Amino acid sequence: PFKQAMAQVKAAQEVSAHAFERVLEGHALWVDFVVAHCKEDLSWLSDKLLRVPRMSRLLVYEKCGQTSEVSKYVGQGKFATAFTVPKPDKGQARGDECSAYLGHIVNEFDSLADYTIFLQSDPQDHLHFDFLDLVLRSMAATTYNTSYLPLNGPQHVRTLTP
């Protein structure tokens, strides 16, 4: 167990050294925020997302045929660019957020961001904003180093103290 623990410490030191080098080089992470949207209020993009990496893109995949005004989320410490992408369901089948997420991966496959955060347009029902903020702070510090992390709140172990 001791050798395994020391190997983990060494790996963590290497990740930390690499992150420090990236900070010194001025590397800015490119993060895509992909939102599957169908008529929900998007004000949480301004109110709840506290730390958005400066090179982030906002892509709102419109599932219900409407077009949201997303340019207001550009600048002001939020997104570098913002787009709406029409992605209505075809026929009688409902694709919900899955078709938006898969469509993003397929369309952007050759130029995916460093990280992609997939969100539903009513995230307060699906994730804990404090946890997302912790992930975003880790990205900003270049200490985030995992290939997949579920942000869905019900999957998280939580404790509450009175």
Side-chain angles (χ1 to χ4, degrees):
F2 179 75
K3 287 182 181 180
Q4 183 181 7
M6 291 308 297
Q8 289 176 328
V9 167
K10 183 177 179 182
Q13 288 172 332
E14 289 171 4
V15 167
S16 177
H18 178 69
F20 184 69
E21 288 173 24
R22 288 172 55 117
V23 169
L24 288 178
E25 294 168 0
H27 177 76
L29 283 178
W30 172 20
V31 180
D32 278 350
F33 287 77
V34 173
V35 179
H37 182 246
C38 182
K39 302 178 184 173
E40 296 90 354
D41 178 22
L42 293 174
S43 62
W44 59 270
L45 290 165
S46 293
D47 303 340
K48 298 287 187 178
L49 286 181
L50 304 178
R51 293 172 184 85
V52 175
R54 62 185 165 114
M55 293 300 296
S56 297
R57 294 190 314 170
L58 171 64
L59 297 103
V60 176
Y61 284 78
E62 295 290 357
K63 301 293 297 162
C64 295
Q66 67 184 59
T67 302
S68 299
E69 177 53 50
V70 296
S71 63
K72 61 185 170 187
Y73 303 114
V74 174
Q76 301 171 3
K78 294 294 179 185
F79 302 96
T81 57
F83 307 94
T84 56
V85 181
K87 191 68 176 160
D89 292 331
K90 302 216 187 292
Q92 298 299 319
R94 282 192 53 190
D96 294 330
E97 68 276 359
C98 301
S99 63
Y101 301 161
L102 180 60
H104 177 78
I105 292 169
V106 169
N107 292 336
E108 302 288 327
F109 189 76
D110 292 329
S111 60
L112 287 169
D114 294 321
Y115 294 103
T116 302
I117 299 174
F118 296 102
L119 298 166
Q120 293 172 315
S121 56
D122 57 345
Q124 63 279 1
D125 295 336
H126 303 282
L127 66 80
H128 305 292
F129 279 103
D130 290 339
F131 183 66
L132 176 58
D133 186 58
L134 179 66
V135 170
L136 293 173
R137 284 189 285 148
S138 179
M139 286 179 180
T142 67
T143 58
Y144 182 83
N145 187 22
T146 187
S147 58
Y148 173 77
L149 178 68
L151 296 174
N152 192 343
Q155 294 184 11
H156 301 157
V157 175
R158 290 182 62 178
T159 59
L160 300 175
T161 55

